[in-house]
Amino acid sequence: MLVDALSGVAAAGPAGPHLGTAMDVAMGLPRAMGRGGRKRRKGLAGEGRAAQGRGAEPAAPGTDTMTADAPGADDGAGSGAGAAPAADSPAVPAGTLELYAPIDVSESALQEAGDALCRDYPELRVHATVADFDTGLVLPELPGPRLIAFLGSTLGNFDPHRRAAFYTELRALMRPDDALLLGVDLVKDPATMRRAYNDEQGVTMEFNKNVLRVLNRELGADFDLNDFDHRAVWNEEEGRMEMRLWSRFSQTVRIPALGMTVDFGRGEETRTEISTKFRRATLTEELLAAGLAVDHWWTDPQDRFAMLLVSSPGSATGSDDS
């Protein structure tokens, strides 16, 4: 949807006649760009993305399923995080997207996702970076405003200290005309969240236990997945869901690659993931503390999740027609 909104080019679809554009692939990062040369690829979609354009802004994600609020609206969000857009602001012209630059740890994921992208958008320039954004974010140093898209709810996997460091890193990378499109999950009824993380189909349980499967495969560990139960609890004090693995009985697990043995007591829990759920006021305050302003806020009708358009104070996205 973002590529559609920013490029103004209708996707060709699976039967599109184009073979795709060339893709630059940067390897061996975090800080060196451009190694690996130009490859004839078709690719990309990743966790971190930067789109270079000519003053373009994104349309509201989700079209008719999203509602938009000005940051200064009286909703308990605290003091204004930026100027409210004018109600009759003209639509931003499409066709301004010039470059798509995804970042992901998996080269194969970038290439596979790109097969469809470069087929459907043959004129789009692509610069993929194989890197871990959690150890050093890299953005292409090219002219023109950039839209940094950090979607899904990945931000919630960071604890408060790591979130603050991530905001600071983003702020340092952003130029005055750049903007950040941020996706977050919102606080909901605790019973609803617990059901989501303890789904009857067992999807989340399999996701959680996969941690043990990877340790067995990569480090030669001898975890028996049947010896651990999946638990997901709501931590009200920290405002987050926590996934845990509960040992059914006292046991010892060996991890040969690390020369380790680990003892688990009966009922001992190991926390495997956190997923923070946000409130508008506190998230706005976190961003402001790092020098970032919320220019726009979109949410679904039930206030289950949100998308934020964020800028540095005084940037172009903070103007009345943003």
Side-chain angles (χ1 to χ4, degrees), residues 222-274:
D222 60 357
F223 284 98
D224 187 332
L225 275 61
N226 294 320
D227 293 345
F228 292 85
D229 286 334
H230 163 73
R231 297 282 177 90
V233 299
W234 170 245
N235 184 330
E236 178 66 34
E237 182 178 356
E238 299 292 341
R240 67 194 188 194
M241 289 296 300
E242 296 182 355
M243 293 211 304
R244 305 171 183 175
L245 290 172
W246 183 81
S247 179
R248 292 184 174 182
F249 45 79
S250 297
Q251 56 182 303
T252 299
V253 176
R254 285 166 289 278
I255 310 178
L258 301 180
M260 290 177 59
T261 59
V262 184
D263 295 322
F264 295 91
R266 183 179 184 276
E268 183 175 349
E269 291 183 327
T270 302
R271 193 180 71 199
T272 54
E273 185 185 68
I274 64 172

Short mmCIF file of all heavy atoms in Angstrom, two decimals, residues 222-274:
data_model
loop_
_atom_site.label_atom_id
_atom_site.label_comp_id
_atom_site.label_asym_id
_atom_site.label_seq_id
_atom_site.Cartn_x
_atom_site.Cartn_y
_atom_site.Cartn_z
N ASP A 222 19.94 -30.43 23.50
CA ASP A 222 19.05 -31.59 23.53
C ASP A 222 17.73 -31.27 24.25
O ASP A 222 17.22 -32.08 25.02
CB ASP A 222 19.74 -32.81 24.15
CG ASP A 222 20.20 -32.56 25.59
OD1 ASP A 222 20.03 -31.42 26.09
OD2 ASP A 222 20.72 -33.51 26.22
N PHE A 223 17.19 -30.08 23.99
CA PHE A 223 15.88 -29.74 24.52
C PHE A 223 14.83 -30.69 23.93
O PHE A 223 14.80 -30.94 22.72
CB PHE A 223 15.48 -28.30 24.16
CG PHE A 223 16.17 -27.24 24.96
CD1 PHE A 223 17.29 -26.59 24.45
CD2 PHE A 223 15.70 -26.89 26.22
CE1 PHE A 223 17.92 -25.60 25.19
CE2 PHE A 223 16.32 -25.89 26.97
CZ PHE A 223 17.45 -25.26 26.44
N ASP A 224 13.96 -31.20 24.79
CA ASP A 224 12.77 -31.92 24.34
C ASP A 224 11.61 -30.93 24.42
O ASP A 224 11.23 -30.51 25.52
CB ASP A 224 12.50 -33.14 25.23
CG ASP A 224 11.36 -34.01 24.70
OD1 ASP A 224 10.46 -33.46 24.03
OD2 ASP A 224 11.37 -35.22 24.96
N LEU A 225 11.07 -30.54 23.28
CA LEU A 225 10.03 -29.51 23.26
C LEU A 225 8.80 -29.91 24.07
O LEU A 225 8.08 -29.05 24.58
CB LEU A 225 9.63 -29.17 21.83
CG LEU A 225 10.51 -28.13 21.10
CD1 LEU A 225 11.95 -28.59 20.97
CD2 LEU A 225 9.94 -27.80 19.74
N ASN A 226 8.57 -31.22 24.20
CA ASN A 226 7.41 -31.69 24.96
C ASN A 226 7.59 -31.54 26.46
O ASN A 226 6.62 -31.70 27.21
CB ASN A 226 7.12 -33.16 24.62
CG ASN A 226 6.69 -33.34 23.18
OD1 ASN A 226 5.93 -32.53 22.65
ND2 ASN A 226 7.17 -34.40 22.54
N ASP A 227 8.80 -31.23 26.89
CA ASP A 227 9.07 -31.08 28.32
C ASP A 227 8.85 -29.65 28.81
O ASP A 227 9.07 -29.36 29.99
CB ASP A 227 10.51 -31.49 28.63
CG ASP A 227 10.75 -32.98 28.43
OD1 ASP A 227 9.74 -33.72 28.33
OD2 ASP A 227 11.92 -33.39 28.34
N PHE A 228 8.40 -28.77 27.91
CA PHE A 228 8.17 -27.37 28.27
C PHE A 228 6.78 -26.95 27.81
O PHE A 228 6.34 -27.30 26.72
CB PHE A 228 9.24 -26.46 27.63
CG PHE A 228 10.62 -26.67 28.18
CD1 PHE A 228 11.44 -27.67 27.68
CD2 PHE A 228 11.09 -25.87 29.21
CE1 PHE A 228 12.71 -27.87 28.18
CE2 PHE A 228 12.36 -26.06 29.73
CZ PHE A 228 13.18 -27.07 29.21
N ASP A 229 6.12 -26.17 28.65
CA ASP A 229 4.79 -25.64 28.32
C ASP A 229 4.90 -24.16 27.99
O ASP A 229 5.68 -23.42 28.60
CB ASP A 229 3.81 -25.82 29.48
CG ASP A 229 3.36 -27.26 29.62
OD1 ASP A 229 3.37 -27.98 28.61
OD2 ASP A 229 3.00 -27.65 30.75
N HIS A 230 4.09 -23.73 27.04
CA HIS A 230 4.02 -22.33 26.65
C HIS A 230 3.14 -21.56 27.64
O HIS A 230 2.05 -22.00 28.00
CB HIS A 230 3.43 -22.22 25.23
CG HIS A 230 2.93 -20.86 24.88
ND1 HIS A 230 3.76 -19.79 24.63
CD2 HIS A 230 1.65 -20.38 24.74
CE1 HIS A 230 3.04 -18.73 24.32
NE2 HIS A 230 1.76 -19.05 24.39
N ARG A 231 3.62 -20.42 28.08
CA ARG A 231 2.85 -19.53 28.95
C ARG A 231 2.98 -18.10 28.42
O ARG A 231 4.07 -17.66 28.04
CB ARG A 231 3.38 -19.56 30.40
CG ARG A 231 3.26 -20.91 31.09
CD ARG A 231 1.85 -21.17 31.57
NE ARG A 231 1.70 -22.49 32.16
CZ ARG A 231 1.89 -22.77 33.45
NH1 ARG A 231 2.26 -21.80 34.27
NH2 ARG A 231 1.71 -23.98 33.91
N ALA A 232 1.88 -17.39 28.39
CA ALA A 232 1.91 -15.97 28.02
C ALA A 232 1.10 -15.20 29.05
O ALA A 232 -0.08 -15.51 29.30
CB ALA A 232 1.32 -15.76 26.62
N VAL A 233 1.72 -14.21 29.68
CA VAL A 233 1.08 -13.48 30.78
C VAL A 233 1.16 -11.98 30.50
O VAL A 233 2.05 -11.49 29.80
CB VAL A 233 1.76 -13.80 32.13
CG1 VAL A 233 1.65 -15.28 32.45
CG2 VAL A 233 3.22 -13.37 32.13
N TRP A 234 0.21 -11.25 31.07
CA TRP A 234 0.19 -9.80 30.97
C TRP A 234 0.87 -9.21 32.19
O TRP A 234 0.46 -9.45 33.33
CB TRP A 234 -1.25 -9.29 30.86
CG TRP A 234 -1.41 -7.80 30.99
CD1 TRP A 234 -2.07 -7.13 32.00
CD2 TRP A 234 -0.91 -6.79 30.10
NE1 TRP A 234 -2.01 -5.77 31.77
CE2 TRP A 234 -1.31 -5.53 30.62
CE3 TRP A 234 -0.17 -6.83 28.92
CZ2 TRP A 234 -0.99 -4.33 29.99
CZ3 TRP A 234 0.16 -5.63 28.30
CH2 TRP A 234 -0.26 -4.40 28.84
N ASN A 235 1.94 -8.44 31.96
CA ASN A 235 2.66 -7.77 33.03
C ASN A 235 2.14 -6.34 33.10
O ASN A 235 2.55 -5.48 32.32
CB ASN A 235 4.17 -7.79 32.75
CG ASN A 235 5.00 -7.21 33.87
OD1 ASN A 235 4.55 -6.31 34.59
ND2 ASN A 235 6.22 -7.70 34.02
N GLU A 236 1.24 -6.09 34.01
CA GLU A 236 0.58 -4.79 34.10
C GLU A 236 1.56 -3.69 34.44
O GLU A 236 1.50 -2.58 33.88
CB GLU A 236 -0.54 -4.84 35.15
CG GLU A 236 -1.26 -3.53 35.38
CD GLU A 236 -2.06 -3.08 34.16
OE1 GLU A 236 -2.60 -3.95 33.45
OE2 GLU A 236 -2.15 -1.86 33.93
N GLU A 237 2.50 -3.97 35.34
CA GLU A 237 3.45 -2.95 35.77
C GLU A 237 4.31 -2.47 34.61
O GLU A 237 4.57 -1.27 34.46
CB GLU A 237 4.33 -3.49 36.89
CG GLU A 237 5.32 -2.48 37.44
CD GLU A 237 6.15 -3.03 38.58
OE1 GLU A 237 5.90 -4.18 39.00
OE2 GLU A 237 7.04 -2.31 39.06
N GLU A 238 4.75 -3.39 33.76
CA GLU A 238 5.62 -3.04 32.63
C GLU A 238 4.82 -2.72 31.37
O GLU A 238 5.39 -2.26 30.37
CB GLU A 238 6.61 -4.17 32.34
CG GLU A 238 7.55 -4.49 33.48
CD GLU A 238 8.55 -3.37 33.73
OE1 GLU A 238 8.74 -2.52 32.83
OE2 GLU A 238 9.14 -3.33 34.83
N GLY A 239 3.51 -3.00 31.39
CA GLY A 239 2.68 -2.73 30.23
C GLY A 239 3.03 -3.60 29.03
O GLY A 239 3.08 -3.12 27.90
N ARG A 240 3.24 -4.89 29.26
CA ARG A 240 3.66 -5.75 28.17
C ARG A 240 3.21 -7.19 28.38
O ARG A 240 3.02 -7.65 29.50
CB ARG A 240 5.18 -5.71 28.03
CG ARG A 240 5.94 -6.34 29.19
CD ARG A 240 7.41 -5.97 29.16
NE ARG A 240 8.20 -6.72 30.15
CZ ARG A 240 9.43 -6.40 30.51
NH1 ARG A 240 10.03 -5.35 29.96
NH2 ARG A 240 10.08 -7.13 31.41
N MET A 241 3.03 -7.88 27.26
CA MET A 241 2.85 -9.32 27.29
C MET A 241 4.23 -9.97 27.37
O MET A 241 5.20 -9.47 26.77
CB MET A 241 2.12 -9.81 26.04
CG MET A 241 0.65 -9.43 25.96
SD MET A 241 -0.37 -10.19 27.27
CE MET A 241 -0.12 -11.95 26.97
N GLU A 242 4.31 -11.06 28.12
CA GLU A 242 5.57 -11.79 28.24
C GLU A 242 5.33 -13.25 27.89
O GLU A 242 4.42 -13.88 28.42
CB GLU A 242 6.13 -11.68 29.66
CG GLU A 242 6.51 -10.26 30.04
CD GLU A 242 7.11 -10.15 31.43
OE1 GLU A 242 7.15 -11.19 32.14
OE2 GLU A 242 7.54 -9.05 31.81
N MET A 243 6.14 -13.76 26.99
CA MET A 243 6.06 -15.18 26.64
C MET A 243 7.13 -15.93 27.43
O MET A 243 8.28 -15.48 27.52
CB MET A 243 6.23 -15.39 25.14
CG MET A 243 5.09 -14.84 24.32
SD MET A 243 4.77 -15.75 22.79
CE MET A 243 6.35 -15.69 22.00
N ARG A 244 6.73 -17.06 27.97
CA ARG A 244 7.63 -17.84 28.80
C ARG A 244 7.50 -19.32 28.46
O ARG A 244 6.50 -19.76 27.90
CB ARG A 244 7.29 -17.64 30.29
CG ARG A 244 7.29 -16.17 30.72
CD ARG A 244 6.74 -16.01 32.12
NE ARG A 244 6.66 -14.60 32.52
CZ ARG A 244 6.13 -14.18 33.67
NH1 ARG A 244 5.63 -15.05 34.53
NH2 ARG A 244 6.11 -12.89 33.95
N LEU A 245 8.55 -20.07 28.78
CA LEU A 245 8.52 -21.52 28.68
C LEU A 245 8.65 -22.09 30.08
O LEU A 245 9.57 -21.73 30.82
CB LEU A 245 9.64 -22.03 27.77
CG LEU A 245 9.46 -21.71 26.27
CD1 LEU A 245 10.71 -22.07 25.50
CD2 LEU A 245 8.24 -22.43 25.71
N TRP A 246 7.74 -22.97 30.45
CA TRP A 246 7.62 -23.51 31.81
C TRP A 246 8.08 -24.96 31.81
O TRP A 246 7.55 -25.79 31.05
CB TRP A 246 6.16 -23.39 32.24
CG TRP A 246 5.83 -23.82 33.62
CD1 TRP A 246 6.00 -23.10 34.77
CD2 TRP A 246 5.23 -25.07 34.00
NE1 TRP A 246 5.56 -23.83 35.84
CE2 TRP A 246 5.07 -25.04 35.40
CE3 TRP A 246 4.82 -26.20 33.31
CZ2 TRP A 246 4.52 -26.11 36.12
CZ3 TRP A 246 4.27 -27.27 34.01
CH2 TRP A 246 4.13 -27.21 35.40
N SER A 247 9.09 -25.26 32.64
CA SER A 247 9.62 -26.62 32.70
C SER A 247 8.65 -27.52 33.46
O SER A 247 8.27 -27.22 34.60
CB SER A 247 10.99 -26.62 33.39
OG SER A 247 11.51 -27.93 33.49
N ARG A 248 8.27 -28.64 32.86
CA ARG A 248 7.27 -29.52 33.46
C ARG A 248 7.82 -30.30 34.66
O ARG A 248 7.06 -30.73 35.52
CB ARG A 248 6.76 -30.51 32.41
CG ARG A 248 5.93 -29.85 31.33
CD ARG A 248 5.37 -30.89 30.38
NE ARG A 248 4.46 -30.30 29.42
CZ ARG A 248 3.81 -31.00 28.50
NH1 ARG A 248 3.99 -32.32 28.41
NH2 ARG A 248 2.99 -30.40 27.65
N PHE A 249 9.15 -30.46 34.69
CA PHE A 249 9.76 -31.20 35.81
C PHE A 249 11.23 -30.80 35.89
O PHE A 249 11.74 -30.09 35.00
CB PHE A 249 9.63 -32.72 35.60
CG PHE A 249 9.96 -33.18 34.22
CD1 PHE A 249 11.28 -33.32 33.80
CD2 PHE A 249 8.95 -33.46 33.31
CE1 PHE A 249 11.58 -33.74 32.52
CE2 PHE A 249 9.23 -33.87 32.03
CZ PHE A 249 10.55 -34.02 31.63
N SER A 250 11.92 -31.23 36.91
CA SER A 250 13.35 -30.95 37.04
C SER A 250 14.10 -31.69 35.94
O SER A 250 13.86 -32.88 35.72
CB SER A 250 13.86 -31.38 38.42
OG SER A 250 13.24 -30.64 39.43
N GLN A 251 14.98 -30.98 35.27
CA GLN A 251 15.69 -31.60 34.15
C GLN A 251 16.99 -30.85 33.89
O GLN A 251 17.19 -29.71 34.31
CB GLN A 251 14.82 -31.58 32.89
CG GLN A 251 14.33 -30.19 32.49
CD GLN A 251 13.43 -30.24 31.27
OE1 GLN A 251 13.84 -30.74 30.21
NE2 GLN A 251 12.21 -29.72 31.39
N THR A 252 17.89 -31.52 33.18
CA THR A 252 19.16 -30.93 32.77
C THR A 252 19.28 -31.00 31.26
O THR A 252 19.04 -32.05 30.66
CB THR A 252 20.35 -31.67 33.42
OG1 THR A 252 20.25 -31.57 34.83
CG2 THR A 252 21.68 -31.08 32.95
N VAL A 253 19.62 -29.88 30.66
CA VAL A 253 19.76 -29.79 29.20
C VAL A 253 21.20 -29.47 28.86
O VAL A 253 21.82 -28.61 29.50
CB VAL A 253 18.81 -28.70 28.62
CG1 VAL A 253 19.04 -28.55 27.12
CG2 VAL A 253 17.36 -29.05 28.91
N ARG A 254 21.74 -30.16 27.87
CA ARG A 254 23.11 -29.94 27.44
C ARG A 254 23.12 -29.09 26.15
O ARG A 254 22.31 -29.30 25.24
CB ARG A 254 23.82 -31.27 27.20
CG ARG A 254 24.19 -31.99 28.49
CD ARG A 254 24.59 -33.43 28.23
NE ARG A 254 23.42 -34.24 27.86
CZ ARG A 254 22.56 -34.76 28.74
NH1 ARG A 254 22.74 -34.52 30.04
NH2 ARG A 254 21.54 -35.47 28.34
N ILE A 255 24.09 -28.15 26.10
CA ILE A 255 24.29 -27.32 24.91
C ILE A 255 25.76 -27.45 24.52
O ILE A 255 26.60 -26.63 24.89
CB ILE A 255 23.92 -25.84 25.18
CG1 ILE A 255 22.52 -25.74 25.83
CG2 ILE A 255 23.95 -25.03 23.89
CD1 ILE A 255 22.11 -24.33 26.18
N PRO A 256 26.10 -28.48 23.76
CA PRO A 256 27.51 -28.81 23.49
C PRO A 256 28.30 -27.68 22.84
O PRO A 256 29.48 -27.47 23.18
CB PRO A 256 27.39 -30.01 22.53
CG PRO A 256 26.08 -30.63 22.86
CD PRO A 256 25.18 -29.48 23.20
N ALA A 257 27.70 -26.94 21.92
CA ALA A 257 28.46 -25.90 21.22
C ALA A 257 28.96 -24.81 22.16
O ALA A 257 29.93 -24.13 21.85
CB ALA A 257 27.59 -25.28 20.12
N LEU A 258 28.29 -24.65 23.30
CA LEU A 258 28.71 -23.66 24.29
C LEU A 258 29.41 -24.29 25.48
O LEU A 258 29.81 -23.58 26.40
CB LEU A 258 27.49 -22.86 24.77
CG LEU A 258 26.70 -22.09 23.71
CD1 LEU A 258 25.53 -21.34 24.35
CD2 LEU A 258 27.60 -21.12 22.96
N GLY A 259 29.53 -25.62 25.47
CA GLY A 259 30.14 -26.30 26.61
C GLY A 259 29.33 -26.10 27.88
O GLY A 259 29.90 -25.98 28.97
N MET A 260 28.02 -26.08 27.78
CA MET A 260 27.15 -25.76 28.91
C MET A 260 26.18 -26.89 29.21
O MET A 260 25.77 -27.63 28.32
CB MET A 260 26.32 -24.50 28.62
CG MET A 260 27.08 -23.21 28.57
SD MET A 260 25.96 -21.82 28.13
CE MET A 260 24.77 -21.95 29.47
N THR A 261 25.84 -26.96 30.47
CA THR A 261 24.66 -27.73 30.89
C THR A 261 23.79 -26.78 31.71
O THR A 261 24.31 -25.95 32.47
CB THR A 261 25.04 -28.96 31.75
OG1 THR A 261 25.76 -28.51 32.91
CG2 THR A 261 25.88 -29.94 30.95
N VAL A 262 22.49 -26.85 31.52
CA VAL A 262 21.57 -25.94 32.18
C VAL A 262 20.56 -26.76 32.96
O VAL A 262 19.89 -27.66 32.40
CB VAL A 262 20.83 -25.05 31.16
CG1 VAL A 262 19.94 -24.04 31.88
CG2 VAL A 262 21.84 -24.32 30.27
N ASP A 263 20.43 -26.48 34.25
CA ASP A 263 19.46 -27.17 35.11
C ASP A 263 18.18 -26.35 35.20
O ASP A 263 18.22 -25.13 35.43
CB ASP A 263 20.04 -27.37 36.51
CG ASP A 263 21.24 -28.30 36.51
OD1 ASP A 263 21.22 -29.27 35.74
OD2 ASP A 263 22.20 -28.04 37.28
N PHE A 264 17.04 -27.00 35.03
CA PHE A 264 15.73 -26.38 35.18
C PHE A 264 15.00 -27.08 36.31
O PHE A 264 14.90 -28.31 36.33
CB PHE A 264 14.90 -26.50 33.90
CG PHE A 264 15.47 -25.74 32.73
CD1 PHE A 264 16.36 -26.35 31.85
CD2 PHE A 264 15.10 -24.42 32.51
CE1 PHE A 264 16.88 -25.65 30.77
CE2 PHE A 264 15.62 -23.72 31.42
CZ PHE A 264 16.51 -24.34 30.56
N GLY A 265 14.48 -26.29 37.25
CA GLY A 265 13.65 -26.86 38.29
C GLY A 265 12.22 -27.06 37.80
O GLY A 265 11.79 -26.45 36.81
N ARG A 266 11.50 -27.89 38.49
CA ARG A 266 10.09 -28.10 38.13
C ARG A 266 9.33 -26.78 38.29
O ARG A 266 9.39 -26.14 39.34
CB ARG A 266 9.46 -29.17 39.01
CG ARG A 266 8.01 -29.48 38.64
CD ARG A 266 7.43 -30.56 39.54
NE ARG A 266 6.08 -30.91 39.12
CZ ARG A 266 4.98 -30.26 39.48
NH1 ARG A 266 5.10 -29.21 40.29
NH2 ARG A 266 3.78 -30.64 39.05
N GLY A 267 8.64 -26.37 37.26
CA GLY A 267 7.88 -25.12 37.30
C GLY A 267 8.72 -23.88 37.03
O GLY A 267 8.19 -22.76 37.03
N GLU A 268 10.03 -24.04 36.77
CA GLU A 268 10.86 -22.88 36.48
C GLU A 268 10.49 -22.30 35.12
O GLU A 268 10.28 -23.02 34.14
CB GLU A 268 12.33 -23.27 36.49
CG GLU A 268 13.28 -22.09 36.27
CD GLU A 268 14.74 -22.48 36.41
OE1 GLU A 268 15.03 -23.60 36.88
OE2 GLU A 268 15.59 -21.64 36.04
N GLU A 269 10.42 -20.98 35.07
CA GLU A 269 10.02 -20.30 33.84
C GLU A 269 11.21 -19.57 33.21
O GLU A 269 12.04 -19.00 33.91
CB GLU A 269 8.90 -19.29 34.11
CG GLU A 269 7.58 -19.95 34.50
CD GLU A 269 6.48 -18.92 34.68
OE1 GLU A 269 6.79 -17.80 35.14
OE2 GLU A 269 5.31 -19.24 34.39
N THR A 270 11.26 -19.63 31.89
CA THR A 270 12.27 -18.90 31.13
C THR A 270 11.54 -17.92 30.22
O THR A 270 10.70 -18.32 29.40
CB THR A 270 13.11 -19.85 30.26
OG1 THR A 270 13.73 -20.82 31.10
CG2 THR A 270 14.16 -19.09 29.48
N ARG A 271 11.82 -16.64 30.36
CA ARG A 271 11.17 -15.63 29.52
C ARG A 271 11.83 -15.60 28.15
O ARG A 271 13.06 -15.46 28.06
CB ARG A 271 11.23 -14.25 30.17
CG ARG A 271 10.31 -13.22 29.49
CD ARG A 271 10.40 -11.87 30.17
NE ARG A 271 11.69 -11.23 29.89
CZ ARG A 271 12.20 -10.24 30.61
NH1 ARG A 271 11.55 -9.79 31.67
NH2 ARG A 271 13.37 -9.71 30.28
N THR A 272 11.05 -15.74 27.11
CA THR A 272 11.58 -15.81 25.75
C THR A 272 11.31 -14.55 24.94
O THR A 272 12.01 -14.29 23.96
CB THR A 272 11.00 -17.01 25.01
OG1 THR A 272 9.57 -16.94 25.06
CG2 THR A 272 11.47 -18.32 25.64
N GLU A 273 10.29 -13.78 25.28
CA GLU A 273 9.98 -12.59 24.49
C GLU A 273 9.14 -11.62 25.31
O GLU A 273 8.35 -12.03 26.16
CB GLU A 273 9.20 -12.96 23.23
CG GLU A 273 8.94 -11.78 22.30
CD GLU A 273 8.07 -12.14 21.11
OE1 GLU A 273 6.88 -12.45 21.30
OE2 GLU A 273 8.59 -12.11 19.98
N ILE A 274 9.33 -10.33 25.04
CA ILE A 274 8.43 -9.32 25.57
C ILE A 274 7.76 -8.62 24.39
O ILE A 274 8.33 -8.50 23.31
CB ILE A 274 9.16 -8.28 26.45
CG1 ILE A 274 10.18 -7.49 25.63
CG2 ILE A 274 9.81 -8.95 27.65
CD1 ILE A 274 10.80 -6.32 26.38
#
